[in-house]
Amino acid sequence: MNRRIPLAVVVCAVLAVLAGLTGCSSAGDDRPTVVVTTNILGDITRNVVGEEADVRVLMKPNADPHSFGVSAREAAEIEGADLVVYNGLGLEENVLRHVEAARGSGVPTLGVGESVDPISYASDAMKGQQDPHFWTDPHRVRQAVDLIGKKVGEEVDGADADAVKANAAAYGRKIDGLGAWMTERFTGIPEQRRNLVTNHHVFGYLAQRFHFKVIGAVIPSGTTLASPSAADLDSLRKAIEKADVRAIFADSSQPERLARVLKKESSLDVAVIPLFSESLTPKGKGAATYLEMMRANTAAISRGLLKK
């Protein structure tokens, strides 16, 4: 005997197929969303959250955190999130106003940079301002892992707090292992070789944690949006020659023109070595995850500073 299918069931099925709606279903409607501004924090957050929520990362691979922006749709995602995780301390210069708007409308937010004992720039144009590049220190990333896990457990309805806590503990052990490995790799670099010159001031936390000295930066600022003067370049050239620096470390997501100009101006044989300093890459490009990025950078720094 043929049975008539209720009209409501037919309508629900058609809408689900044609419009992607799931309102007639009990599954999939209420999955929580965590929006993350930068892709480095996005990878860390995904490891902590696991399958307990959708994690949406705004910053694309190889983008510059100082200059990337968001679309109207992404701005709406920020304001509709269950939690927004952002770096802060001025890093996401074009996105922070959207985060502030979301916070003003009642969306829970977590500014990670300000919560992991930030340091201040010690010299040049940004002296005295807080440095947002905390991720170059795995010890502070370990703190960030716990902060994110706790915030997700407290604020994100529908996420299993115990599962998130377990994820954070497991990923935290990997970060601890990274820190121990970096310490071991850097041990072989003698004190007189522990001098860093970079495209801009991005490795202050790494220098503090692993006992390096930042001689200077091609761009004397904590942001890639600044520009060096001729006097800045001349001053840095003199510092490089005085400290017998063997390598300049340039951000792989930024053009190396300025670093190469400085290399040409110096009488030393200075190598220009790319690092993954402010953005992850697509898979297979050397720094698709935070752990991969830090291991690649550690190897590159060791190689550059031990260059003969």
Side-chain angles (χ1 to χ4, degrees), residues 109-137:
T109 64
L110 174 62
V112 179
E114 65 192 34
S115 303
V116 292
D117 188 24
I119 63 175
S120 297
Y121 294 110
S123 63
D124 294 330
M126 305 289 282
K127 184 176 181 179
Q129 297 184 40
Q130 290 185 316
D131 184 347
H133 306 94
F134 73 89
W135 60 85
T136 64
D137 174 11

Side-chain angles (χ1 to χ4, degrees), residues 87-294:
N87 193 96
L89 301 182
L91 183 74
E92 312 97 319
E93 298 175 45
N94 294 326
V95 181
L96 289 176
R97 62 187 177 90
H98 297 291
V99 175
E100 291 166 2
R103 184 189 304 115
S105 65
V107 176
T109 64
L110 174 62
V112 179
E114 65 192 34
S115 303
V116 292
D117 188 24
I119 63 175
S120 297
Y121 294 110
S123 63
D124 294 330
M126 305 289 282
K127 184 176 181 179
Q129 297 184 40
Q130 290 185 316
D131 184 347
H133 306 94
F134 73 89
W135 60 85
T136 64
D137 174 11
H139 177 77
R140 284 180 168 85
V141 171
R142 183 66 176 85
Q143 295 178 48
V145 167
D146 291 337
L147 287 167
I148 294 168
K150 181 179 180 182
K151 193 70 171 180
V152 171
E154 292 173 347
E155 301 287 357
V156 181
D157 291 339
D160 185 329
D162 289 336
V164 171
K165 185 176 180 180
N167 291 340
Y171 187 60
R173 288 190 290 271
K174 293 182 180 180
I175 300 299
D176 290 338
L178 170 69
W181 179 82
M182 290 175 67
T183 299
E184 182 179 356
R185 283 298 301 265
F186 288 146
T187 297
I189 302 173
E191 183 177 356
Q192 66 270 23
R193 291 286 189 90
R194 290 174 170 260
N195 298 315
L196 294 176
V197 175
T198 58
N199 249 33
H200 74 290
H201 288 305
V202 68
F203 286 100
Y205 288 91
L206 181 143
Q208 181 193 71
R209 177 63 55 190
F210 298 104
H211 309 294
F212 290 96
K213 183 177 181 180
V214 178
I215 295 297
V218 177
I219 302 175
S221 175
T223 170
T224 55
L225 303 182
S227 298
S229 66
D232 291 329
L233 291 176
D234 186 60
S235 175
L236 183 57
R237 176 186 60 80
K238 292 175 181 177
I240 287 174
E241 292 176 344
K242 182 178 179 180
D244 192 24
V245 170
R246 307 300 177 88
I248 298 172
F249 298 100
D251 191 315
S252 66
S253 67
Q254 295 293 321
E256 298 176 5
R257 181 180 61 84
L258 290 174
R260 293 192 183 280
V261 167
L262 187 59
K263 177 185 176 182
K264 185 177 179 180
E265 293 294 323
S266 174
S267 61
L268 297 174
D269 179 20
V270 182
V272 177
I273 298 175
L275 297 180
F276 305 106
S277 59
E278 294 196 296
S279 178
L280 300 183
T281 67
K283 290 183 179 180
K285 299 300 181 179
T289 69
Y290 172 72
L291 293 172
E292 185 180 21
M293 178 187 79
M294 292 301 290

Side-chain angles (χ1 to χ4, degrees), residues 11-63:
V11 171
C12 183
V14 171
L15 288 176
V17 171
L18 297 181
L21 300 177
T22 56
C24 299
S25 169
S26 61
D29 264 352
D30 301 322
R31 185 166 173 78
T33 301
V34 178
V35 172
V36 190
T37 55
T38 69
N39 54 40
I40 293 173
L41 266 182
D43 178 59
I44 294 167
T45 301
R46 282 192 172 115
N47 277 279
V48 173
V49 172
E51 299 299 320
E52 298 306 311
D54 288 330
V55 177
R56 300 182 185 175
V57 181
L58 300 176
M59 178 180 157
K60 304 299 186 289
N62 288 336

